[in-house]
Amino acid sequence: MRYWSILFALAAVFSIGAFVYAPFSPDWWLPNSANEPYHAVSKFGREIDSLFLIILWITGIVFIGTQIALVWVSWKYIDKPGSVATYFHGSQRLEVIWTIIPAAILVFIALYQMGTWAEIKFRSSAPKVLPLAEVTARQFQWVIRYAGPDGKLHTTDDLHLVNDLHFVKSAEKLEKPALIWLQSGDVLHSFFLPQLRIKQDAVPGLKIPVWFDCDRAGQYELLCAELCGWGHYKMRSKVTVHENQADFDEWMQRKLSEQNQSQIAAVAQGGK
Amino acid sequence: MISRFRWALIAGTVSLAGCGEMFDPGPLEYVDSPSLQTELKDKPTMQAAVRKALGNLFGPEPREIHVPVGSGLPMGGARLASHRHFDDGAKPQAFHVAVGSSTSTPGTIPIRGGFALYREHCLHCHGVSGAGDGPTAPFLYPRPRDYRKGIFKFTSTNTGQKPTRSDLEKTIRYGLHGTSMPAFDAMLTEREFQQVIDYVIFLSLRGETELALIGEAGIADEKDPNALSDEVSGEILRAVANKWKSADSQVMNPPIPKPESTPESIQRGKELFLGLNKTGNKVDCTSCHGPQALGNGPSFISQDVFNYVVFGGDPSTRGERLDAEAERIARKRFEMANHGSAHEPTADELKPLLAQIKKQWEDSLDDWKEPLRPANLNRGVYKGGRRPIDIYWRVAKGINGAKMPAHVPTLEPEKVWDVVNFVLALPYEPKLLEGATLPAAPPTSAPKVAQPKYDLSNTTLLADSPPPADPKAGNTK
Ligand SMILES: [Cu+2]
């Protein structure tokens, strides 16, 4: 049955088709903001996307090549009545070639991505800025403690919020990323900013610095990317990137005065 | 719709069976209040009458919601569910909000409705009936709220009053820090919050009406067919609903704003907290919160006994752990009292000691019979909110259903503010209570429970000490 090979070919064509289609559909493509589906809003995001594309091209080309070879072989060397199989020990040269080429590709990818990894993850590359906030992941919310106007954590002017992350876009901060300290109050969670391509596990007992930038003011999302229990889906937070520092300060002042509220402005107005 | 649901259920069952573990969320039906059995033990007719009256008022099962007239729910309860149909005059006092079926509805309104939202987000903790008995509830401390008593802890209204809608909204939106109640601020829309609040109030109305009906049936004659007539049950419902309606007029507004948090104000607050104030009324904070405000005052069962009983194993075997622990402590106390006399205590000798320990445990339970802990005020975690007004409310009018009493009018508003300033300063000034002791003669304090040898202090959710300061940051300001 030589026609099986056509079925295999179709499966391969379908897979390749999906990948060819993906970039043309914002829903299928990388998580970017709806009005700019092809613009990653952060510097790290663009680096990670370019790594992603390089790997996608490499694996895509290899996939197409191997699929063509497989379909061709299964078409050409189909079992025929009366044909006799030949046995041979193998080809050392061929084996060396198909070991060395993938190994070389892997080494290339490993070396090529190192700079980006170091820039995003190594503690030594953490930006020398005052921390924006301390973020505590717990079942099932993000408890965010902002450093407040004095820029220091654990002082009386700290702002305490839940599921509401705010920072200023990077152009306004001399291209410096925002820095948070991530910790967990209970189990493993993962701090995931899909649009900014940042993902970091929150590990009980560790305080982990995480930094991220964004060059477009707007609304984004913070999610938990580590299944942490029945309420995992509830760990969803708003992320607001402010146009400039003044905006951010104005927001923080407003939130601080809410936090310092000591009387009801108008009792009479009551409920809704 | 139903058949699709059924298919999903079958598929889910099959796939879960493959894992060798089946999660059973339980049937979608209201549970009876436990007092239906206890209060109406020998009155089967009255039990049936209560069920019937309750079914008429609120619907026989969660998927058929009746909104009784006079419920006070906004828009006549229209936000409770997505499919509505009105009674065609046969029962003019109520209209039905039918859910779960799209048949016989004159028109659907494009909302999910409180019931659907509640089922998705709240039910697994708070349970079908709002009894705080959802499938995940036994794993949580503190336990999820049972709405059926109509008691809510964190309110802006006077002691014992119902919360306002904005109080409930605040709880749902921002969660209760230090408990398992998460924040839904980023999950629901403005409209959805109102729908969920409606449904929570609906469940609370239903539960409190059930209790009142049981009370009424308890004094009624078992043979009286009109004991719980439509008029009587409607009257009972309206009495409950009126308490909700009056909540907005019960909001307590501090008459003066919070004064500046000066060292003098903090000091005055500290003296009030420790009962050392020279003038004015004295209040007793340390007997519960402890002299270092660690939440370990002598009126409550000691922290390690509490940890052992509450967190030391399966929640359903709490009683056994309490018995074992009480026995052990009683023997130790007996030994201490008798200076190592060689003889084993007899059952009669242990009895008063055991009773004392059990009494202390009973005294450490809230209105839902769940074990309570006084707040550790050094952590800077405030369940009811950290705004000064929140803490003012907690001090001034206490916490409904819990042991925190009201302190107004015992304390004048300016003194309450001193206490608030002190409480808010404490996490940042750990030395504030250094060396403080209980007042010399603690009023009617029970003898301190002997400390067991094992240490279970790390079983609490978060450490009991304030979070480690960022090395770069100064600790005080
Ligand atoms: Cu999580």
Side-chain angles (χ1 to χ4, degrees), chain A residues 188-190 224 226 228 232 235:
Chain A
L188 271 180
H189 299 274
S190 186
C224 179
E226 177 73 56
C228 55
H232 170 57
M235 293 189 68

Side-chain angles (χ1 to χ4, degrees), chain B residues 54-274:
Chain B
L54 202 62
N56 285 342
L57 285 170
F58 296 94
E61 53 117 357
R63 273 167 293 203
E64 188 187 330
I65 299 172
H66 300 192
V67 185
V69 161
S71 71
L73 288 171
M75 301 160 67
R79 293 184 296 208
L80 290 173
S82 53
H83 306 293
R84 291 190 277 156
H85 59 87
F86 295 84
D87 275 332
D88 46 359
K91 251 194 215 160
Q93 78 274 23
F95 81 84
H96 295 220
V97 183
V99 289
S101 99
S102 50
T103 53
S104 78
T105 52
T108 55
I109 41 175
I111 58 166
R112 300 185 54 205
F115 174 66
L117 292 164
Y118 180 88
R119 216 164 45 152
E120 178 175 343
H121 298 296
C122 322
L123 181 144
H124 59 80
C125 287
H126 290 286
V128 177
S129 328
D133 61 350
T136 50
F139 304 100
L140 306 181
Y141 182 84
R143 249 189 107 95
R145 179 68 50 250
D146 175 352
Y147 311 134
R148 298 174 305 169
K149 275 185 184 297
I151 302 174
F152 291 80
K153 278 188 172 175
F154 303 111
T155 64
S156 61
T157 48
N158 287 317
T159 315
Q161 302 297 324
K162 296 281 178 263
T164 63
R165 289 181 72 87
S166 358
D167 291 339
L168 294 179
E169 181 175 341
K170 186 169 155 274
T171 299
I172 301 170
R173 213 178 254 281
Y174 305 113
L176 297 177
H177 202 171
T179 78
S180 300
M181 175 71 189
F184 288 89
D185 196 24
M187 299 283 305
L188 303 177
T189 64
E190 216 62 47
R191 236 171 132 197
E192 287 173 331
F193 278 114
Q194 298 308 318
Q195 295 167 25
V196 174
I197 293 167
D198 280 0
Y199 196 73
V200 168
I201 294 176
F202 172 83
L203 286 180
S204 182
L205 277 176
R206 184 186 173 280
E208 213 179 341
T209 304
E210 181 182 24
L211 286 177
L213 286 170
I214 293 169
E216 181 70 23
I219 53 171
D221 181 21
E222 170 75 346
K223 294 198 181 66
D224 180 1
N226 291 321
L228 297 179
S229 63
D230 282 356
E231 287 89 89
V232 173
S233 59
E235 206 53 53
I236 286 172
L237 161 92
R238 275 186 289 282
V240 176
N242 283 341
K243 291 193 265 178
W244 281 94
K245 286 180 192 161
S246 65
D248 279 344
S249 64
Q250 292 284 345
V251 172
M252 174 192 269
N253 196 16
I256 48 169
K258 183 176 87 72
E260 185 81 17
S261 178
T262 57
E264 293 75 37
S265 169
I266 294 172
Q267 187 61 27
R268 285 195 299 271
K270 173 183 157 178
E271 280 164 10
L272 285 163
F273 181 86
L274 292 173

Side-chain angles (χ1 to χ4, degrees), chain A residues 239-270:
Chain A
V239 176
T240 306
V241 178
H242 290 267
E243 192 62 55
N244 52 49
Q245 189 65 39
D247 261 17
F248 178 86
D249 291 344
E250 193 267 327
W251 165 81
M252 178 159 281
Q253 273 315 321
R254 201 173 65 241
K255 284 290 163 186
L256 278 171
S257 65
E258 279 172 27
Q259 181 172 289
N260 292 327
Q261 187 184 346
S262 74
Q263 272 184 312
I264 299 168
V267 193
Q269 122 194 25

